[in-house]
Amino acid sequence: MMQEILQQTTLPEWFGVFFSVFQVLLARKNNSNNYLFGIAGVSLTLYVMITSKLYAEFTLNLYYLIMSIYGWLYWKFGKRKSETVISETTKQEKLITAGIVIGTFGLFWVFLTHFTDSDVPVWDSLVSAFAWAGMWLMARRKIENWILLNISNMIAIPLLIHKDLYLYAILTAFLFIVAISGYLQWRKIINKKDNAYA
């Protein structure tokens, strides 16, 4: 079984996963250079997703590419021309996040159901909807990004296995664990900042 999985895994998958691992580990460490590895990993993943007919995930990765460039610039410079600090979402940002989840799910579901040969339109749409919202929050350095990304990860793991993308399923399980760790790490940073102002 393992030998068969390794034989089915293409070079773009290996390198896409490799760069993605580095990206998420740097994000956990609150390092803005995580986006540079993300751009490399996403570029390779785009090819893998389109050849696997995971169209919403392909579109999601295009979004990741754009948000990685935006996120890197925002983290580095923000509105104050200095690095943006980690914070919690405001009420307005929560409403925007909910709108992103609902809106992107609806758009992807309609598109996948009516205009593609996708055999998993609901699941592919759900993965992408939560990931779109999570990535938006990460680009704005909001701690809740880890929660939304992990909802996406939980749905994505069985979907990727269904598509025989075992290496990406393993990567997603790894990302799930790192996201828990990332949330805890960012929570410590927020608490430390709050205690400093107390």
Side-chain angles (χ1 to χ4, degrees):
M1 170 88 174
M2 185 55 107
Q3 185 178 0
E4 187 179 321
I5 291 171
L6 292 174
Q7 287 173 344
Q8 288 178 352
T9 305
T10 64
L11 276 178
E13 283 181 72
W14 281 112
F15 282 105
V17 167
F18 175 78
F19 287 126
S20 297
V21 166
F22 272 93
Q23 188 267 331
V24 76
L25 289 175
L26 287 172
R28 180 191 171 277
K29 291 281 189 185
N30 194 29
N31 186 322
S32 59
N33 290 323
N34 79 81
Y35 285 108
L36 301 178
F37 286 93
I39 289 166
V42 165
S43 298
L44 292 165
T45 301
L46 284 168
Y47 170 77
V48 174
M49 292 302 150
I50 198 70
T51 58
S52 300
K53 297 182 180 180
L54 287 172
Y55 304 113
E57 293 245 12
F58 174 82
T59 308
L60 171 64
N61 279 279
L62 280 177
Y63 172 71
Y64 279 169
L65 189 60
I66 294 164
M67 291 304 286
S68 291
I69 295 165
Y70 166 76
W72 183 73
L73 293 172
Y74 190 85
W75 277 36
K76 285 301 251 184
F77 306 111
K79 292 178 182 174
R80 296 177 305 282
K81 300 298 178 190
S82 62
E83 283 207 6
T84 303
V85 296
I86 295 169
S87 62
E88 296 182 77
T89 57
T90 63
K91 287 181 182 179
Q92 182 183 10
E93 288 168 332
K94 286 177 183 174
L95 288 173
I96 293 169
T97 302
I100 292 170
V101 171
I102 294 165
T104 54
F105 173 79
L107 287 172
F108 278 124
W109 182 80
V110 168
F111 177 75
L112 294 176
T113 303
H114 298 289
F115 301 104
T116 74
D117 57 351
S118 174
D119 61 334
V120 285
V122 171
W123 300 110
D124 199 8
S125 298
L126 280 172
V127 168
S128 295
F130 282 105
W132 274 61
M135 191 66 179
W136 180 74
L137 289 174
M138 178 176 275
R140 299 186 65 80
R141 229 168 189 164
K142 300 295 180 177
I143 190 172
E144 293 84 359
N145 86 83
W146 298 111
I147 296 169
L148 272 79
L149 291 174
N150 255 359
I151 294 170
S152 176
N153 289 336
M154 283 190 294
I155 302 165
I157 293 168
L159 177 62
L160 292 166
I161 291 170
H162 169 72
K163 287 292 185 176
D164 297 327
L165 296 172
Y166 300 107
L167 192 61
Y168 276 101
I170 292 167
L171 170 65
T172 305
F174 171 76
L175 296 178
F176 181 86
I177 294 165
V178 173
I180 293 170
S181 176
Y183 179 88
L184 296 173
Q185 183 77 18
W186 283 30
R187 176 56 63 194
K188 284 181 189 175
I189 292 168
I190 289 175
N191 291 344
K192 188 175 180 182
K193 182 185 73 172
D194 291 346
N195 290 336
Y197 292 119

